[in-house]
Amino acid sequence: MTDEQLQTAIRASVSTDPPPVSDLVAGGLARGRALRRRRHLTGALAAVALIAVSTATATALTGDDESNPIAGDPNASASAEPAGPCRSDVQTKVLPEWARAGFSDPTPSVPHVMGDQGNIVAILFGGTLHSPPSDEVNNKILWVAPTGADPGGSLEIQAVLAGTSQHASREVPGGPGPSTIDLPATGCWHLELTWGEQPDQQDTMDLDYVRP
Amino acid sequence: MDTAEFTEFAVARTPTLFRTAYALTGDWYRAEDLVQEALGRIYVKWSRVSRADDPAAYARTTLVRLFISDRRRRSSTERPTADLGADEQVPDDDVSLRLTVLSALAQLGPIDRAALVLRYYEDLDAASTADLLGTTPEAVRTRCRRALARLRDVLGDNLTDLRSN
């Protein structure tokens, strides 16, 4: 069977009856409106949380200010999300194939956390993340994604400490790659990761920071 | 937000998007779900998409990347079956051909499947396929070569009556 025959067969295999266009369009519109409502609600909650954080004198750190210690009680602000079990699932099994570039071992088993959508992986070189940073092992994270950032883009990280309204934001220039991510408190941080506009350039994950 | 303009675009593009989704998923109902999810994402960004050079290409990119992202999330043991769903008017002499090829496609990994569908169903060149998949044209050619070889292995000698154009 030649490649040309296979290619012809692929084209032929996709012939179908016409889909229910009006139903699909109506369904798409409904999903789009629901998505837009969720994003507006998330934005409103974030705005309320920022106001609560500023009045409680907690500091939302930016990527170029990683050395400031915590100011104020991280648990004093109104909760933005309920505290629950941290979903930070540190795996030690072999990395997925798309994340192995650069490792001399063809089947590297290193501590890592997979994004909830499977679009990015956080490889934890120190194994455990600490807040404040440990003197012995830094919080080095190698971010790897099958789809990189757009040219000139970066990986933007918005982190919220579970059970609080404490926020932190970080940026990795150039997109997914090596970074040191220090966060201002121990606990379970929920991360929203964005490195482009397409669905596979966004993801979420929980990371657990413990005392050294 | 011009909902009427978006609706007009969606009505025009949905048949093509659906056929691509069906080729990727091999399942009528999953294809419906994938198309609706892609349309929803495009609706949210419509003010920007409508000003793009090629909104149709943006829609296709969104659909394919959603498919790949979704497949990565699902269990690696899950294998979609070729399912014509509500299709009741397929020419009988083509049914076994379509089912066999769709079933074989479904056994490939998501990116291999996407590469073959984009190259040989959507007729994209290697460069456009590479842009959409976030890789290089050479990597696309290599992937397609290997995926076709894999498809040939999966189909084996069962397929003896391929129809050509």
Side-chain angles (χ1 to χ4, degrees):
Chain A
M1 190 183 306
T2 66
D3 284 357
E4 288 72 27
Q5 286 177 310
L6 282 172
Q7 293 163 20
T8 300
I10 291 169
R11 291 192 192 100
S13 71
V14 187
S15 300
T16 70
D17 271 359
V21 172
S22 56
D23 289 344
L24 292 177
V25 171
L29 263 173
R31 293 191 193 200
R33 286 173 175 146
L35 191 58
R36 180 167 289 169
R37 279 195 299 273
R38 279 201 298 275
R39 288 185 181 182
H40 285 160
L41 181 61
T42 301
L45 281 174
V48 168
L50 280 173
I51 291 169
V53 165
S54 65
T55 56
T57 71
T59 301
L61 299 181
T62 62
D64 59 357
D65 185 14
E66 297 181 15
S67 60
N68 277 0
I70 302 166
D73 181 358
N75 296 314
S77 306
S79 292
E81 59 178 46
C86 196
R87 291 179 292 110
S88 177
D89 183 17
V90 181
Q91 304 279 336
T92 52
K93 58 186 181 184
V94 176
L95 288 173
E97 198 172 333
W98 49 264
R100 299 178 191 172
F103 287 90
S104 54
D105 183 350
T107 55
S109 297
V110 292
H112 61 276
V113 179
M114 183 64 71
D116 296 324
Q117 304 301 316
N119 292 332
I120 197 167
V121 65
I123 299 173
L124 312 182
F125 280 96
T128 304
L129 299 167
H130 299 98
S131 181
S134 164
D135 291 334
E136 296 172 9
V137 179
N138 60 22
N139 293 323
K140 184 174 285 185
I141 298 178
L142 173 63
W143 303 95
V144 183
T147 303
D150 300 328
S154 62
L155 169 61
E156 297 177 4
I157 303 171
Q158 299 296 328
V160 177
L161 183 62
T164 78
S165 300
Q166 187 168 5
H167 277 71
S169 62
R170 298 288 181 268
E171 184 177 344
V172 182
S179 70
T180 300
I181 305 295
D182 295 328
L183 292 177
T186 59
C188 181
W189 288 84
H190 178 73
L191 272 58
E192 294 201 358
L193 306 155
T194 307
W195 59 102
E197 302 220 349
Q198 290 297 325
D200 62 347
Q201 293 172 310
Q202 299 160 25
D203 212 331
T204 56
M205 71 170 57
D206 288 352
L207 291 179
D208 199 16
Y209 279 69
V210 301
R211 291 214 172 275
Chain B
M1 156 60 73
D2 190 338
T3 300
E5 187 187 58
F6 167 80
T7 302
E8 185 181 343
F9 170 83
V11 167
R13 297 307 308 168
T14 288
T16 302
L17 286 173
F18 180 82
R19 284 192 290 272
T20 302
Y22 186 56
L24 289 170
T25 60
D27 181 281
W28 183 278
Y29 299 110
R30 280 190 180 159
E32 286 191 338
D33 186 64
L34 184 60
V35 168
Q36 290 177 80
E37 191 62 28
L39 289 177
R41 304 294 181 104
I42 294 164
Y43 175 76
V44 172
K45 296 186 185 298
W46 180 243
S47 58
R48 191 177 311 170
V49 174
S50 62
R51 295 194 299 271
D53 288 340
D54 192 346
Y58 183 95
R60 179 178 53 217
T61 298
T62 299
L63 182 93
V64 173
R65 289 189 177 180
L66 264 176
F67 165 73
I68 293 172
S69 176
D70 181 65
R71 288 299 300 158
R72 286 201 185 108
R73 256 190 317 118
R74 288 172 181 270
S75 164
S76 61
T77 60
E78 199 176 60
R79 289 286 180 265
T81 57
D83 179 2
L84 294 177
D87 189 339
E88 293 179 355
Q89 297 179 1
V90 175
D92 289 342
D93 53 355
D94 280 339
V95 168
S96 60
L97 166 68
R98 289 168 47 190
L99 283 176
T100 301
V101 175
L102 282 174
S103 178
L105 269 175
Q107 296 188 45
L108 302 180
I111 300 182
D112 283 350
R113 207 180 317 163
L116 290 183
V117 168
L118 291 171
R119 290 283 284 134
Y120 303 125
Y121 175 64
E122 291 273 355
D123 279 334
L124 294 188
D125 60 21
S128 302
T129 304
D131 278 344
L132 196 152
L133 296 179
T135 185
T136 64
E138 187 49 46
V140 165
R141 292 188 195 96
T142 301
R143 184 177 282 279
C144 285
R145 204 160 45 240
R146 291 176 181 166
L148 284 175
R150 172 78 179 126
L151 203 62
R152 189 178 291 112
D153 288 343
V154 170
L155 286 168
D157 296 323
N158 292 334
L159 196 59
T160 58
D161 186 22
L162 280 173
R163 297 175 187 279
S164 55
N165 288 331

